[in-house]
Amino acid sequence: MSHAESSLTRRKSIPVSIGPVTVGGDAPIVVQSMTNTDTADAVNTVRQITELAAAGSELVRITVNSEAAAAQVAPIKDRLLALNCEVPLVGDFHFNGHKLLTQYPECAEALSKYRINPGNVGKGKKRDTQYASMIEMACQYEKPIRIGVNWGSLDQDLLVEMMDANARAANPKESTVVMHEAIIESALKSAERALDLGIKKEQIIISCKMSGVQDLISIYRDLAAQCHYALHLGLTEAGMGSKGIVASTAALSILLQEGIGDTIRISLTPEPHGDRTKEVIVAQEILQSMGLRSFTPMVIACPGCGRTTSTYFQSLAAEIQSYLRKQMPHWQKQYPGVEEMNVAVMGCVVNGPGESKHANVGISLPGTGERPVAPVYIDGEKDVTLKGDHIAEEFQQIILDYVKAKYGKGSSVT
């Protein structure tokens, strides 16, 4: 157990069962993702779901925005099961979810959870009936729901009402504070309404997403203090590339360290034709870097400097990281505990031997002007020195042999 695991106190939340996955309670923090395919395109949607699941997404959300999309949900689920992919599917509903769930009962049955946005369920008198219709379907099929309030689609009637009341107050609050309160009130009142309609507390997850780091932290602190529902964390519209990764990490790490959050999604804008699984990897790396969960062996590598003018160690580190991730779907089943392994790939003699000794398996490659040899350390002890043109292949084999010896069934190594 890491220092972060031993010192962190999780907020007590009501556990929610979503197929084989539990969110909240004492369950590990769950990683989820969302497809960006047209759900009506079943072939490409199945492909992306399987990719996300293989990368480690424990829940996958799909858009259900049209009759064509709703009609394909059950066939998509059947194709996934035929491929031995049992990842729970979450239906993302806005505006017309009440119609789609009612008109396509096979869709309502196939989904493992419904995502409902209170700001997008209807206007005026229609809001109550349309929201009630979705809750009744969740009750009928015994499905959990996520009541997801986004600041960009907040119930405007509620916001105006609270802003007007604030303007009449003797000591009015800043508008930002009122907006935060409106977002939380929308979520909690929607949860109360769902309970009145027959849903159970064990079927409710709540999210109050913002696109600003400080806004998100403030809202979730207040939300966590006001309820015991399981909470979904995510910085909505986080952005592209490093901006999206850094912003999401900054916001979620603070909340997770405070024990807030039961499931997370990293809402990265992918590069054109980019790999959707990146959001899964970032979520996993946030949790693993904080010592909250382990998903894949960690590769420790130095940043490089004037002593490492060769880029060989960079290439080897990238190759080993890729190799470990590709092996994990197989290794997780055959070698339990392997996800906690550390591998060091270092570039010169300054920190190379030291870091390598602290890893389970480490290699210290020669820096500029150093002897062209690469000592390998196993659990702190020098094991062998590699040299020549096949260091990468030989080091990869050493890692594989170590995994089999230490984590294989019947291994006496602890």
Side-chain angles (χ1 to χ4, degrees):
M1 180 178 288
S2 71
H3 173 72
E5 285 177 302
S6 62
S7 64
L8 180 63
T9 300
R10 285 273 299 281
R11 163 186 169 271
K12 294 186 181 300
S13 62
I14 302 167
V16 179
S17 295
I18 307 172
V21 176
T22 298
V23 173
D26 296 325
I29 296 166
V30 172
V31 171
Q32 59 179 283
S33 60
M34 185 175 183
T35 60
N36 63 352
T37 56
D38 181 353
T39 306
D41 180 354
V43 172
N44 280 318
T45 300
V46 167
R47 173 189 55 76
Q48 192 170 90
I49 291 169
T50 56
E51 290 172 352
L52 290 166
S57 184
E58 294 156 310
L59 298 173
V60 176
R61 183 156 43 114
I62 59 176
T63 299
V64 188
N65 62 332
S66 66
E67 292 189 18
Q72 288 301 319
V73 171
I76 285 170
K77 181 69 173 290
D78 290 340
R79 293 187 191 189
L80 291 171
L81 293 176
L83 295 169
N84 295 316
C85 179
E86 299 181 358
V87 64
L89 299 181
V90 180
D92 191 71
F93 294 100
H94 296 271
F95 309 111
N96 59 354
H98 58 293
K99 292 182 178 179
L100 298 177
L101 285 170
T102 303
Q103 294 173 4
Y104 293 86
E106 64 279 9
C107 167
E109 176 65 33
L111 292 169
S112 296
K113 187 179 78 167
Y114 308 155
R115 191 272 198 212
I116 303 172
N117 185 338
N120 287 340
V121 294
K123 300 289 186 181
K125 295 180 180 179
K126 292 183 178 180
R127 176 178 288 115
D128 284 344
T129 57
Q130 293 177 181
Y131 180 73
S133 176
M134 298 184 74
I135 299 302
E136 287 164 3
M137 294 300 288
C139 291
Q140 178 180 338
Y141 291 99
E142 299 182 330
K143 304 294 183 179
I145 61 172
R146 170 160 70 97
I147 296 172
V149 181
N150 280 17
W151 80 278
S153 51
L154 176 62
D155 179 348
Q156 292 302 301
D157 291 341
L158 175 63
L159 180 59
V160 169
E161 178 185 330
M162 292 182 67
M163 285 289 189
D164 288 346
N166 181 65
R168 294 190 298 269
N171 296 300
K173 304 171 185 177
E174 293 184 6
S175 60
T176 300
V177 174
V178 179
M179 185 185 72
H180 288 189
E181 291 176 348
I183 289 172
I184 293 173
E185 180 146 342
S186 175
L188 295 182
K189 280 193 170 182
S190 296
E192 289 177 13
R193 175 64 174 148
L195 293 173
D196 291 341
L197 291 166
I199 210 162
K200 300 173 184 176
K201 290 182 178 180
E202 295 80 11
Q203 290 175 266
I204 297 176
I205 296 173
I206 285 180
S207 69
C208 291
K209 288 189 173 183
M210 305 289 286
S211 60
V213 170
Q214 296 297 342
D215 290 321
L216 190 81
I217 294 168
S218 175
I219 275 190
Y220 271 89
R221 282 174 172 165
D222 290 344
L223 178 63
Q226 294 181 45
C227 73
H228 293 288
Y229 295 114
L231 300 182
H232 168 118
L233 293 190
L235 190 74
T236 191
E237 295 117 23
M240 298 181 71
S242 60
K243 185 268 180 186
I245 294 172
V246 171
S248 293
T249 303
L252 269 60
S253 295
I254 291 172
L255 292 168
L256 291 168
Q257 186 63 28
E258 294 179 5
I260 298 171
D262 301 290
T263 178
I264 66 172
R265 188 222 167 175
I266 308 301
S267 301
L268 297 180
T269 303
E271 302 290 341
H273 309 294
D275 189 348
R276 190 68 168 180
T277 62
K278 189 171 184 179
E279 67 177 52
V280 178
I281 294 170
V282 172
Q284 290 177 335
E285 290 181 345
I286 290 172
L287 294 175
Q288 187 152 349
S289 296
M290 295 184 69
L292 298 175
R293 288 190 67 181
S294 295
F295 297 94
T296 190
M298 293 289 282
V299 175
I300 301 160
C302 63
C305 66
R307 296 182 181 88
T308 56
T309 52
S310 168
T311 59
Y312 185 74
F313 84 95
Q314 299 166 358
S315 299
L316 180 59
E319 185 176 333
I320 294 300
Q321 181 76 71
S322 176
Y323 169 73
L324 294 173
R325 280 205 167 272
K326 288 179 180 177
Q327 296 303 313
M328 279 310 295
H330 164 67
W331 282 1
Q332 278 181 322
K333 299 176 182 177
Q334 193 164 355
Y335 305 114
V338 68
E339 65 275 4
E340 297 180 2
M341 181 175 71
N342 288 324
V343 177
V345 180
M346 304 299 292
C348 80
V349 74
V350 173
N351 290 319
E355 285 285 0
S356 296
K357 288 177 183 178
H358 284 93
N360 296 104
V361 183
I363 186 170
S364 180
L365 294 163
T368 305
E370 296 178 22
R371 291 179 58 216
V373 296
V376 175
Y377 297 82
I378 305 291
D379 287 331
E381 301 293 332
K382 185 176 177 181
D383 181 73
V384 67
T385 298
L386 304 180
K387 53 187 174 181
D389 298 328
H390 302 288
I391 289 178
E393 294 88 343
E394 292 172 5
F395 185 58
Q396 188 168 296
Q397 184 62 48
I398 289 170
I399 292 173
L400 179 57
D401 292 342
Y402 180 86
V403 168
K404 291 179 178 179
K406 181 162 185 176
Y407 302 103
K409 295 178 180 179
S411 170
S412 61
V413 181
T414 58

